[in-house]
Every structure is written in C-alpha cells, then in structure tokens.
Amino acid sequence: MTKFNIVTQIDASGVRSGRREVEGELNALERSARSLKGELAGALGGAALAVAVAQTVRSAKALASSLAEISTQVDTTKFSIAALRDVAFEQADAFATTPVAQTKALYEIISAGAESTASAIETLNSANELATGGITDVAVAAD
C-alpha cells in the first residue's frame, strides 16, 4: 500500500487583506460617529443656550413689569424702586424663590399700606418666613 501525503495550503492573504479593509471601514465609521456626536452635542448645546436666553429674557420682562406695577402705586420720595428690586433678588436667593415672586409679594405689601421701603422689606421678610414654614407662597403670605 502506498501512502500519499497531501499538503494543502490556504492562501489567507485575501482574508488578511479583507480583514484590514473591514477594520479600516469600522475605524472610519467610528470616527464619523464621534464627529457626528460632537456636532449633535454642539447643536443641542446651542439649542439649550437659545432656550436659556429666551427664558432669561422672559424673566427679565416679567420682573420689569412687576416693578412697573409697584411704581404706579408708590410715592418715589418714600420708596426706592432700585432698593425694592435689589431686595427682591436677595430674598429670592435667601428663600429659593424668584425675583418676580418677591416683587408680586411687595406689590401686595405696598397695596396693603406699607409706608416706606424699609417697612415693605420688613414685611416681605416675614412673609417669606411664613411661606417657608409651609403655610403658603410669599405673595399670599404677604397679602
């Protein structure tokens, strides 16, 4: 009986070449995905910034409107609108509300008969303490 040894060789160069091509394509796809991610983040960041700016403008307009309402009912020799604005920001920070909520409360306080900036501020502080205690919001507590 004769024995034959058959040697087979497979040329894997095509497989290696194909693998390199696939790896290249995957790397290119990964770079594109990273780039797209960056562009989307930039676009979304820009949209978020636009929303934030619009909200800030709306808040500023609301505050200006509230202060204008107050100015229609006070004697500016007894009341300082600038001081009321400043205290609205201070109280908003101190009591975790908004300056607009504070100016609405100041409007109620002044309508109820506060005779000076100092008395309005004192009453506003008391109203904030009541509201913080869970009784109500600052405008209702002021009223």
Side-chain angles (χ1 to χ4, degrees):
M1 177 150 112
T2 311
K3 290 187 177 182
F4 291 99
N5 284 334
I6 300 175
V7 177
T8 59
Q9 292 183 353
I10 298 175
D11 182 5
S13 63
V15 172
R16 283 190 289 273
S17 174
R19 188 187 82 206
R20 282 191 296 270
E21 271 186 54
V22 169
E23 285 175 346
E25 292 295 323
L26 289 173
N27 288 335
L29 182 59
E30 183 180 8
R31 285 190 302 275
S32 294
R34 275 194 224 129
S35 175
L36 181 60
K37 179 182 172 187
E39 289 173 17
L40 285 174
L44 293 175
L49 178 61
V51 169
V53 168
Q55 180 61 38
T56 301
V57 169
R58 279 193 296 276
S59 294
K61 285 181 180 180
L63 179 62
S65 177
S66 291
L67 289 168
E69 287 176 6
I70 290 171
S71 71
T72 63
Q73 65 176 353
V74 298
D75 177 355
T76 55
T77 62
K78 295 180 181 179
F79 287 89
S80 166
I81 299 300
L84 293 174
R85 180 200 60 226
D86 292 346
V87 81
F89 278 100
E90 291 166 8
Q91 295 283 307
D93 285 343
F95 293 98
T97 64
T98 66
V100 172
Q102 297 298 317
T103 55
K104 289 182 183 210
L106 282 166
Y107 180 88
E108 296 298 330
I109 291 165
I110 293 166
S111 293
E115 296 181 7
S116 68
T117 301
S119 65
I121 291 170
E122 183 179 329
T123 304
L124 179 64
N125 191 57
S126 297
N128 274 305
E129 289 172 354
L130 287 171
T132 300
I135 294 175
T136 187
D137 67 39
V138 67
V140 173
D143 193 29

